[in-house]
Amino acid sequence: GRGLTARRAGAFAAIWLWNPMVAAISTRGSSEGLLGGLTMALLWAVEGRRVALAGALLGLGVHFKIYPFIYAPAIVWWMDEERMRGGAAPASKTKTSPSLVEAAVNFVTVARVKLAVVSLSTFTALNLLMYSIYGTPFLVHTYFHHVTRIDHRHNFSPYNMLLYINSATPADSGPTASLHTESLAFVPQLLLSCVLIPLVLAKKDLATSMMAQTFAFVTFNKVCTSQYFLWYMIFLPLHLPGSSLLRSPKLGVSALLLWVVAQGAWLQQGYELEFLGKSTFLPGLWLASLGFFLVNCWILGIIIDDGAQRPVIHGKTHTD
């Protein structure tokens, strides 16, 4: 529990439920609202120790849209044996540290194995079903596309310019044509969202860890559009109650204004490019992309710092 009254919890939930940005994006053909529901259901199942259900939701979520796979490391790291036995705090640091082999053996628990088996089984079954219906195009448009995509329209990412340049480069222009700089975007993106942030935050506050992971994943993605913002906005009702963004109104207002203004600056350049036909790629659009990226990095730092300073939060106990 997070110690909120029903009235206060409802007020924070309204940040998502009554958000015009959520409504606008969810009614234009995007499925982000449904995916947000799956994400919250996954968090609820994990913190309630409903391991089989959590595994099924994780497998369904990754099949539905790939990015929820980043939550798997955090969930697995969170599910230590002490916590799964009833929410007790991790073992005291005064105990003798186990050897590397003992630590590896202790890491493999029934709950973690169960989560892996159920999630992989669900994911595999759904993919086999879709492949049997749609064949190879399903694999191309669902998975392979993300490795080679060069979306340069409506893209807030600093990689936008590289993608635009590469979109005009013939696919067979040389032996290294398929190896572009923006392909390396996955390295910092996955290092942050799948390794570093879960290690730092997951055992302290799983919800904040998942929000920070999602925020990092979107910020460092080579394609960053407005609908992706909903991926982390779903966590705001859980993160904000104990966040420094609310404890310090000056900090919170500054972060919100900079986030909005940075988007507005990019959109102004994008409007001139796409509607007025002006070439704003350099320096305007690229500098706007860098500005928005830096603002997001700053906000990400605030989220991580908040999570690192929080006391350990345990979910309610449930055994399935």
Side-chain angles (χ1 to χ4, degrees):
R2 294 175 181 268
L4 298 179
T5 64
R7 183 181 181 86
R8 185 169 168 80
F12 280 108
I15 295 173
W16 167 267
L17 296 174
W18 293 355
N19 193 313
M21 185 175 181
V22 174
I25 292 178
S26 297
T27 54
R28 69 176 192 181
S30 299
S31 58
E32 268 53 41
L34 178 57
L35 189 63
L38 283 175
T39 302
M40 285 296 99
L42 172 62
L43 177 61
W44 168 79
V46 172
E47 291 193 336
R49 279 73 170 178
R50 297 170 173 85
V51 181
L53 178 59
L57 289 170
L58 180 59
L60 174 61
V62 177
H63 169 75
F64 198 84
K65 188 161 283 191
I66 298 176
Y67 86 88
F69 81 89
I70 65 175
Y71 303 139
I75 293 171
V76 169
W77 186 237
W78 182 89
M79 294 172 65
D80 56 57
E81 194 171 359
E82 291 83 4
R83 183 176 277 107
M84 296 306 293
R85 278 204 301 259
S92 172
K93 294 182 179 179
T94 59
K95 292 185 178 180
T96 304
S97 299
S99 66
L100 186 61
V101 174
E102 290 174 332
V105 171
N106 293 336
F107 185 81
V108 181
T109 63
V110 173
R112 284 167 171 155
V113 171
K114 186 176 184 179
L115 179 79
V117 170
V118 175
S119 60
L120 287 173
S121 298
T122 303
F123 176 76
T124 302
L126 290 171
N127 277 272
L128 288 175
L129 175 61
M130 293 298 106
Y131 182 77
S132 69
I133 297 173
Y134 300 105
T136 303
F138 162 72
L139 297 177
V140 172
H141 294 288
T142 305
Y143 301 112
F144 304 153
H145 163 70
H146 294 281
V147 179
T148 59
R149 66 187 301 188
I150 51 174
D151 305 38
H152 58 85
R153 299 287 184 179
H154 323 295
N155 184 2
F156 292 96
S157 170
Y159 296 100
N160 180 44
M161 283 303 303
L162 284 172
L163 294 173
Y164 176 75
I165 293 171
N166 289 335
S167 69
T169 303
D172 57 350
S173 60
T176 60
S178 61
L179 183 60
H180 294 298
T181 304
E182 74 277 0
S183 298
L184 300 177
F186 290 109
V187 177
Q189 180 189 34
L190 297 183
L191 183 63
L192 277 172
S193 60
C194 295
V195 180
L196 299 180
I197 292 175
L199 284 175
V200 173
L201 299 183
K203 285 183 180 291
K204 296 182 73 68
D205 184 354
L206 184 58
T208 295
S209 176
M210 291 170 70
M211 178 176 178
Q213 290 173 260
T214 313
F215 204 101
F217 188 87
V218 172
T219 298
F220 285 83
N221 199 25
K222 67 178 181 179
V223 177
C224 178
T225 63
S226 296
Q227 71 186 64
Y228 297 173
F229 303 157
L230 270 60
W231 297 356
Y232 55 74
M233 288 175 66
I234 187 69
F235 293 102
L236 285 176
L238 299 176
H239 173 73
L240 284 179
S243 171
S244 60
L245 294 171
L246 283 190
R247 291 197 306 270
S248 173
K250 182 178 179 180
L251 177 64
V253 171
S254 297
L256 178 60
L257 285 178
L258 283 174
W259 190 74
V260 172
V261 169
Q263 281 188 70
W266 190 98
L267 291 170
Q268 186 272 332
Q269 293 294 307
Y271 171 78
E272 290 197 2
L273 171 67
E274 297 195 14
F275 286 85
L276 303 183
K278 297 181 180 180
S279 180
T280 60
F281 289 108
L282 288 173
L285 196 65
W286 187 62
L287 289 179
S289 295
L290 289 179
F292 187 56
F293 174 75
L294 292 175
V295 168
N296 278 292
C297 287
W298 175 59
I299 296 175
L300 176 61
I302 295 173
I303 296 171
I304 294 174
D305 186 60
D306 282 345
Q309 294 183 26
R310 286 186 179 181
V312 177
I313 294 178
H314 301 287
K316 295 180 180 179
T317 303
H318 178 91
T319 303
D320 65 352

